[in-house]
Amino acid sequence: MSFFRTLLNDSVLIRPPGFYIIGFETFPFISVYFIFLAFVYVITVLSNSLVIYIIVVNHCLHTSKFIAVVNLAVIDLVLTTCLIPSMINVFLIKDNFIPFRLCFVQMFVYYTFVSLESYALAILAYDRLVAIHFPLRQNSINTVQSMCCIVGVTWWFAFAVTAFSTGIMARLSFCGSVRVFSYFCDYAPVFRLACNDYTMQWWAASVLTILILVVPFTFILLSYVSILVAVFRMKNLDSRVKALATCVEHLILVAVFYFPLIIIFTIGFYLRLIDPDRRVLSLSLASCLPPCINPIVYSLKTKEIKIRMQALFRKNNVGVDQTSPNSSHTKVFALATALATVNMPSGDPQTNHALQASFFSLTVSHCNQQPYGHNSATSTMAEQNVVNLDSIPPPPLERG
């Protein structure tokens, strides 16, 4: 009966102005940790933004695989932005009060995007499964439309489940302490502060843990068991190595994300065998590091993204070189313009002849500086042209 009484109770609820976040009380040099997290945040934003930009502007990357990759990058960006700036404000600037409604907004955003991160890793496992099991039919099975549908369903499901779990927190009354021992407005530390029965919230937290961690992780494990079976059926050793090499980076992401969260949730939430401060530190690392590691270990190491990234940097370097006033491109252009000017009938033939020689010399030196191969035969011919040019007598002066 307490379960339904918690859901239907319309009695007076006590809602405080807000909560105080009080984690990391026993760590003496915790400010160093948050300076490190600030560095992690900058790296996360830059690397994930680069991944999103490269995939969006290159239409040839608008495939099912890179839809899954850009989905992961967007999730990492939002999750980190929801968490790290707030942690720096709370623990480094010492502004640890968070208003009541804003607390639940942060709780909703965090658990929504942690859920989406888990599902995004499962989607990447599905992409590897199709690619290895059906290499010839991959494009017909895993189409752009089907991948968009899968991503859309995971977003809808994560929003719906987290909205329900966060919404039932409004049925709690907080008449005692408002000190949340965590690094943000965490679900379990907040509902344990309630004065009335929180059985429903406890069950919601348990089901949420199963839905956002256990189910996707089980799917990933089964996918890789199936992948291993398919790989060891291959007769060619090189094919086995290549197939397994495409899965290594994804397995690293899975280990970095799932193992800390599953262990800490199991020991901390259910068994309560871990020190509270260590639990908070471990969970904060487990939440903040994967969004930084994902693009570095997986996305930016993808062959297609790496090629486009190198082309982008090369294009920017060439653009800077061409617009530089001291660059050889600019000098050649300016000299060619001057040469065209002095070729007018009113020009001085001696000056015209000198500028021609200078133009050829500069062209030869410019060719010698080109990064994409150097043709020594062409350079020699150009140098001969410059030498022979000196032996050509100047043209006769025009008579008025």
Side-chain angles (χ1 to χ4, degrees):
M1 292 298 293
S2 62
F3 180 88
F4 296 101
R5 186 168 60 251
T6 302
L7 180 63
L8 301 174
N9 186 17
D10 291 328
S11 60
V12 178
L13 298 175
I14 300 174
R15 293 181 177 177
F19 298 95
Y20 290 92
I21 313 297
I22 57 165
F24 305 107
E25 286 188 330
T26 61
F27 292 103
F29 302 105
I30 197 62
S31 58
V32 178
Y33 174 63
F34 289 103
I35 293 173
F36 165 73
L37 286 186
F39 175 75
V40 168
Y41 179 66
V42 172
I43 298 297
T44 304
V45 171
L46 291 178
S47 55
N48 282 291
S49 299
L50 179 61
V51 170
I52 295 170
Y53 174 78
I54 290 175
I55 294 177
V56 169
V57 300
N58 289 276
H59 294 282
C60 56
L61 296 182
H62 294 179
T63 61
S64 57
K65 174 183 177 180
F66 290 102
I67 288 175
V69 172
V70 79
N71 175 54
L72 180 63
V74 171
I75 293 166
D76 287 338
L77 202 57
V78 177
L79 178 61
T80 312
T81 303
C82 159
L83 201 57
I84 295 183
S86 173
M87 292 173 64
I88 293 174
N89 182 60
V90 169
F91 297 105
L92 200 59
I93 306 178
K94 306 297 182 183
D95 183 14
N96 66 335
F97 177 80
I98 182 168
F100 185 82
R101 293 184 182 274
L102 186 59
C103 174
F104 291 107
V105 170
Q106 186 188 39
M107 184 186 299
F108 169 77
V109 174
Y110 172 79
Y111 280 102
T112 297
F113 282 90
V114 165
S115 306
L116 288 172
E117 177 100 3
S118 181
Y119 295 138
L121 294 176
I123 291 172
L124 290 174
Y126 162 76
D127 178 76
R128 290 292 86 212
L129 180 69
V130 173
I132 292 175
H133 269 279
F134 310 101
L136 300 180
R137 294 193 297 153
Q138 178 185 3
N139 294 331
S140 60
I141 296 175
N142 196 12
T143 62
V144 173
Q145 291 78 9
S146 64
M147 182 59 73
C148 289
C149 289
I150 293 171
V151 171
V153 168
T154 59
W155 278 69
W156 174 85
F157 183 75
F159 271 84
V161 170
T162 313
F164 172 78
S165 302
T166 309
I168 61 176
M169 295 287 285
R171 307 305 306 167
L172 296 177
S173 181
F174 300 93
C175 55
S177 174
V178 289
R179 293 159 59 88
V180 179
F181 196 86
S182 185
Y183 57 99
F184 76 109
C185 265
D186 203 353
Y187 195 82
V190 170
F191 76 63
R192 285 186 176 132
L193 298 176
C195 301
N196 52 348
D197 183 34
Y198 53 76
T199 305
M200 186 179 186
Q201 287 73 19
W202 189 93
W203 279 106
S206 302
V207 173
L208 191 65
T209 303
I210 294 172
L211 290 178
I212 71 176
L213 291 179
V214 178
V215 172
F217 184 63
T218 304
F219 173 79
I220 293 172
L221 287 181
L222 294 177
S223 298
Y224 274 102
V225 170
S226 179
I227 287 172
L228 287 175
V229 171
V231 166
F232 284 109
R233 284 179 180 175
M234 298 177 181
K235 297 180 179 180
N236 191 348
L237 181 61
D238 292 338
S239 299
R240 293 181 184 179
V241 173
K242 289 180 180 178
L244 291 175
T246 61
C247 303
V248 172
E249 290 86 359
H250 180 251
L251 285 173
I252 294 173
L253 303 189
V254 171
V256 169
F257 178 77
Y258 282 104
F259 288 168
L261 289 180
I262 290 177
I263 293 172
I264 295 167
F265 269 118
T266 303
I267 297 176
F269 181 73
Y270 296 104
L271 304 177
R272 300 191 186 184
L273 298 177
I274 189 173
D275 178 72
D277 266 334
R278 292 181 180 177
R279 184 188 78 85
V280 171
L281 180 63
S282 303
L283 274 178
S284 64
L285 276 174
S287 302
C288 298
L289 287 184
C292 180
I293 295 173
N294 290 347
I296 297 172
V297 172
Y298 185 81
S299 303
L300 293 177
K301 291 187 70 175
T302 307
K303 181 180 178 181
E304 295 86 347
I305 293 182
K306 189 184 294 185
I307 292 173
R308 268 80 181 178
M309 184 171 62
Q310 292 172 350
L312 177 65
F313 290 148
R314 191 181 299 122
K315 179 181 177 181
N316 290 337
N317 290 336
V318 171
V320 171
D321 182 64
Q322 289 179 344
T323 56
S324 174
N326 296 322
S327 67
S328 55
H329 294 81
T330 309
K331 291 178 181 178
V332 171
F333 178 76
L335 204 57
T337 305
L339 187 60
T341 303
V342 297
N343 270 330
M344 299 298 291
S346 59
D348 181 11
Q350 298 292 340
T351 306
N352 186 7
H353 181 69
L355 282 172
Q356 284 179 342
S358 300
F359 176 73
F360 280 113
S361 299
L362 186 56
T363 304
V364 171
S365 65
H366 171 68
C367 292
N368 291 337
Q369 296 171 1
Q370 295 305 308
Y372 301 108
H374 173 61
N375 192 333
S376 58
T378 305
S379 176
T380 304
M381 291 175 61
E383 290 172 358
Q384 290 175 355
N385 287 337
V386 176
V387 174
N388 294 335
L389 188 66
D390 293 333
S391 62
I392 298 175
L397 294 173
E398 294 186 3
R399 298 181 182 273

